Amino acid sequence: MTETLRNPISPTVDFERDGVQHGFLRLPYSRDDSAWGAVMIPISVVKNGAGPTALFTGGNHGDEYEGPLALSKLAGSLDPTAIRGRLIIVPFMNAPAVWAGTRTSPIDRGNLNRSFPGRPDGTVTQKIADYFQRTLLPMADLVLDIHSGGKTLDFLPFAACHLLPDPAQQARCEAGMRAFAAPYCMRMLEQDAQGLYDTAAEALGKVFVTTELGGGGTLSARSLAIAERGVRNLLIHFDMLEGEPQRGESVMLDMPDDGCYLCSESDGLLEMCRDLGETVQAGELVARVHDARRTGVAPVEYRARRAGLISARHFPGRVQSGDTLAVIAEVVG
Ligand SMILES: [Zn+2]
């Protein structure tokens, strides 16, 4: 029999204690500037008696800001007596990446959202994944992971869920997605579901909601307001917080197949011909990529492979072969 390895992370909070606690997940990390040092990942636990457990995270990628700010503000403002059950908040999930302002960890280049289920004896990023996989996710009934586009993508603000094999779980996730009440709701198709936190949470049968709320490596007053409204709405939806949800009109979007993705096959300067939120027909010009090494060369044209709404775009002005130029989703209601 192989012995199960213990994860080296130790929490400074007691998950069973009522009230508000602000502490850390302490992850030992021995290095040049701290021989017996640790990575201190902030965590807040708000608990009030029996009830469901919600696990809210931001900073899974370190260059996305709506989640970290909305959740640290929530952690600092919640009155524990207003909560039913337990809310676990980790606003800076891949904390080293958040501190560096990069998608992946500067310690090991680990992309936390491609590292699940993780390893207790792996890299720093793999250890964080393993702690979520085996300790935090099993405690949770409802899981929210707030993303946006980071430095290289920009999105229409949407809450999302995936198509799941279990229709009952799918319905619970969709209800959560709608309750978040972002301006758009997306039934999302992943190009690369292996290793996602999403996939890990869904495989454990959890209600899982994710978002893409903007991008470009920053946030706006509007995108942050959507996140702050969404987290409260979700707690109210789960009967964990008193109050009236703030609803608005949400446009339902679907990514039915791979034809939604428009991928660059060239390097150069990006000319977007259509903007986020615009509707295009199949075959319509969406972007051109211009050669920046010489003049007199025709740009490479990229045309929509399907009709729909431009829901994501490459953000920087320079583009490389293999970059996602745009995502065109179908409007379903
Ligand atoms: Zn992300």
Side-chain angles (χ1 to χ4, degrees):
M1 232 173 78
T2 49
E3 198 184 333
T4 308
L5 282 171
R6 203 179 72 83
N7 190 292
I9 291 177
S10 52
T12 69
V13 290
D14 176 353
F15 291 106
E16 304 306 325
R17 193 200 301 166
D18 276 348
V20 180
Q21 301 168 76
H22 304 292
F24 299 95
L25 301 174
R26 184 180 176 280
L27 165 51
Y29 172 47
S30 177
R31 56 195 192 269
D32 285 348
D33 65 352
S34 188
W36 286 8
V39 175
M40 304 291 276
I41 303 167
I43 184 169
S44 295
V45 179
V46 187
K47 185 172 178 297
N48 184 22
T53 293
L55 173 60
F56 285 7
T57 50
N60 185 335
H61 294 128
D63 60 350
E64 304 170 6
Y65 295 98
E66 286 83 358
L69 282 185
L71 294 180
S72 50
K73 287 174 75 177
L74 182 74
S77 66
L78 270 181
D79 171 4
T81 61
I83 284 281
R84 184 181 75 89
R86 176 172 58 177
L87 173 59
I88 301 170
I89 302 174
V90 185
F92 323 114
M93 197 180 179
N94 196 354
V98 173
W99 299 327
T102 50
R103 182 172 180 82
T104 61
S105 173
I107 296 173
D108 52 25
R109 304 309 336 162
N111 180 343
L112 181 56
N113 216 27
R114 300 293 182 279
S115 300
F116 281 81
R119 294 178 62 104
D121 58 351
T123 65
V124 164
T125 305
Q126 288 170 332
K127 285 172 181 164
I128 297 172
D130 177 71
Y131 191 77
F132 274 85
Q133 177 77 44
R134 292 193 296 148
T135 301
L136 294 180
L137 279 178
M139 292 183 196
D141 303 292
L142 163 67
V143 182
L144 168 71
D145 190 32
I146 302 178
H147 287 256
S148 51
K151 285 175 183 161
T152 65
L153 289 171
D154 196 12
F155 285 92
L156 289 180
F158 63 78
C161 63
H162 300 103
L163 268 183
L164 300 174
D166 174 3
Q169 186 189 6
Q170 160 92 31
R172 289 195 298 273
C173 294
E174 279 211 29
M177 168 185 77
R178 288 172 190 274
F180 192 91
Y184 297 87
C185 287
M186 178 75 86
R187 209 170 293 129
M188 199 151 65
L189 174 76
E190 300 287 351
Q191 299 189 104
D192 185 18
Q194 190 68 33
L196 290 182
Y197 180 50
D198 314 42
T199 309
E202 288 159 355
L204 290 172
K206 307 302 178 185
V207 175
F208 181 82
V209 178
T210 187
T211 72
E212 298 288 359
L213 296 178
T218 188
L219 54 66
S220 64
R222 178 174 180 252
S223 64
L224 180 59
I226 292 166
E228 295 197 66
R229 185 180 72 179
V231 295
R232 287 191 172 272
N233 280 348
L234 211 47
L235 289 173
I236 295 166
H237 171 73
F238 260 76
D239 206 16
M240 292 178 66
L241 184 67
E242 291 280 324
E244 278 302 307
Q246 286 179 276
R247 289 283 163 85
E249 283 297 300
S250 292
V251 177
M252 281 294 302
L253 300 173
D254 189 16
M255 294 168 65
D257 57 51
D258 205 45
C260 294
Y261 287 95
L262 204 56
C263 175
S264 181
E265 297 177 0
S266 37
D267 296 350
L269 304 182
L270 175 61
E271 177 191 0
M272 286 303 292
C273 302
R274 306 298 299 274
D275 285 324
L276 271 185
E278 290 190 339
T279 301
V280 292
Q281 300 306 316
E284 226 177 293
L285 187 63
V286 175
R288 297 187 182 98
V289 176
H290 293 261
D291 194 329
R293 301 280 175 190
R294 60 184 302 160
T295 56
V297 179
V300 182
E301 292 189 342
Y302 292 89
R303 294 180 179 277
R305 294 161 65 196
R306 58 173 309 119
L309 198 70
I310 301 183
S311 309
R313 60 156 285 183
H314 180 75
F315 186 77
R318 287 171 61 240
V319 68
Q320 302 175 76
S321 178
D323 287 349
T324 293
L325 290 171
V327 173
I328 297 165
E330 194 176 310
V331 180
V332 290

